[in-house]
Amino acid sequence: MQFVQMDAPRLDRLTALLEGLSPKVTLATKPDGFSLHIIKTGTSDHPTDSFSGIQQDALSLLVCPAASYFENLLQADQQCCMSFDVVFDGPMGPSFLAEQSKPISIVMKDADPSLVQVMMLIANEMQASRCGQPFFMNRAGDILLVSLMRHLTSRPQQSTGLFQALSDPRIAKSLVAMHSKPAHPWTLESLANLAGMSRTSFANYFKEVMQVSPGKYLENLRLAIARQLVDTGIGLKQIATRTGYSSPSTLSRALGRVA
């Protein structure tokens, strides 16, 4: 009898994070917040049609924390072909936006393959007017955001922070665990075991990369979820259960400290 060795399931670093962000991506002519802009470099033989005959190497993606000044970042030979407005309705949105505070420009020759594919899909779709195109483009915006986050995970832009941590399998396992089950009674030991590290090494390395201790990160995550649930009118007892607090009074004190 011959046994076939199955590959271990690949760590999904983004699904739980995206659920915590609850992003809404829409096609926009004048986005006013966090936004994605498809940029074309070079002169065009078809100035009235930004996407005609476009080449992969001419495309880049500009990620802006505030759309109001993105035009100031363009070079003389660049033009914006399309913009998407991104709103994060989930509890992890504020912390994500605080970290992504600087513009990022990604040229396609240096991009993750999935991001290149989506950019070219959008460019090809826009070369002609087609039925259902507005609906298509709004759905493409969702895929563009996921592809961007894949790119940032595989090619972090900073030496610290969320995407640098997600790029490291050890820290990523602990982050995914907290993102997936924030109410679980995680301990430093259990998180370190997931990372395959000693408690001291894990705690020091996590804080070095994330700029906050594992315990504080988990507390901030739980409080963010709790604050959003409070706004829905759910009682503190139920919120405490859903966010890992031992009692409503413990949750109330925690909320009071950050009020």
Side-chain angles (χ1 to χ4, degrees):
M1 181 180 295
Q2 184 177 9
F3 292 92
V4 178
Q5 184 175 358
M6 302 295 290
D7 292 335
R10 188 170 184 177
L11 178 66
D12 184 346
R13 306 167 197 240
L14 294 179
T15 294
L17 172 60
L18 285 163
E19 289 173 350
L21 291 171
S22 298
K24 293 182 179 179
V25 187
T26 53
L27 194 62
T29 54
K30 293 183 178 180
D32 58 5
F34 188 90
S35 53
L36 312 177
H37 307 273
I38 298 179
I39 306 300
K40 177 183 176 183
T41 301
T43 58
S44 174
D45 295 331
H46 306 273
T48 59
D49 186 352
S50 299
F51 284 103
S52 292
I54 200 165
Q55 301 296 315
Q56 175 179 312
D57 290 346
L59 288 177
S60 60
L61 181 65
L62 179 62
V63 184
C64 278
S68 59
Y69 66 88
F70 89 90
E71 292 181 345
N72 297 332
L73 301 173
L74 300 182
Q75 304 297 320
D77 62 343
Q78 291 183 323
Q79 59 177 309
C80 180
C81 301
M82 184 172 294
S83 296
F84 293 90
D85 187 62
V86 186
V87 176
F88 298 104
D89 286 337
M92 297 182 67
S95 61
F96 179 84
L97 290 173
E99 182 171 315
Q100 306 303 313
S101 60
K102 296 181 180 179
I104 301 171
S105 180
I106 305 167
V107 295
M108 289 304 99
K109 66 182 180 65
D110 299 325
D112 184 86
S114 67
L115 180 56
V116 175
Q117 290 175 354
V118 176
M119 291 280 283
M120 292 307 298
L121 174 67
I122 292 173
N124 290 331
E125 172 68 19
M126 294 305 295
Q127 290 193 38
S129 179
R130 302 179 184 183
C131 297
Q133 199 168 76
F135 187 85
F136 178 97
M137 294 312 302
N138 279 324
R139 302 291 79 74
D142 293 330
I143 301 171
L144 180 63
L145 177 65
V146 175
S147 298
L148 166 65
M149 296 183 73
R150 287 176 176 174
H151 171 89
L152 294 176
T153 301
S154 63
R155 298 165 174 81
Q157 306 294 298
Q158 304 176 42
S159 58
T160 60
L162 178 63
F163 288 107
Q164 178 64 37
L166 288 173
S167 73
D168 186 309
R170 297 170 297 175
I171 302 299
K173 288 178 181 178
S174 65
L175 283 173
V176 169
M178 288 187 277
H179 294 164
S180 302
K181 298 179 179 180
H184 185 81
W186 297 111
T187 64
L188 181 59
E189 183 174 8
S190 63
L191 292 171
N193 286 338
L194 286 174
M197 303 171 70
S198 70
R199 287 186 300 174
T200 301
S201 296
F202 170 73
N204 290 339
Y205 186 48
F206 188 101
K207 188 170 184 179
E208 177 185 338
V209 176
M210 289 296 293
Q211 304 293 290
V212 65
S213 70
K216 187 63 176 177
Y217 183 85
L218 180 59
E219 180 185 5
N220 291 341
L221 175 60
R222 288 172 170 171
L223 284 172
I225 297 170
R227 283 195 294 268
Q228 191 167 75
L229 290 174
V230 166
D231 292 338
T232 68
I234 297 176
L236 285 184
K237 182 177 181 179
Q238 185 177 352
I239 296 174
T241 300
R242 292 172 62 174
T243 53
Y245 283 89
S246 59
S247 67
S249 59
T250 303
L251 171 59
S252 180
R253 287 195 296 271
L255 289 169
R257 288 196 296 269
V258 297

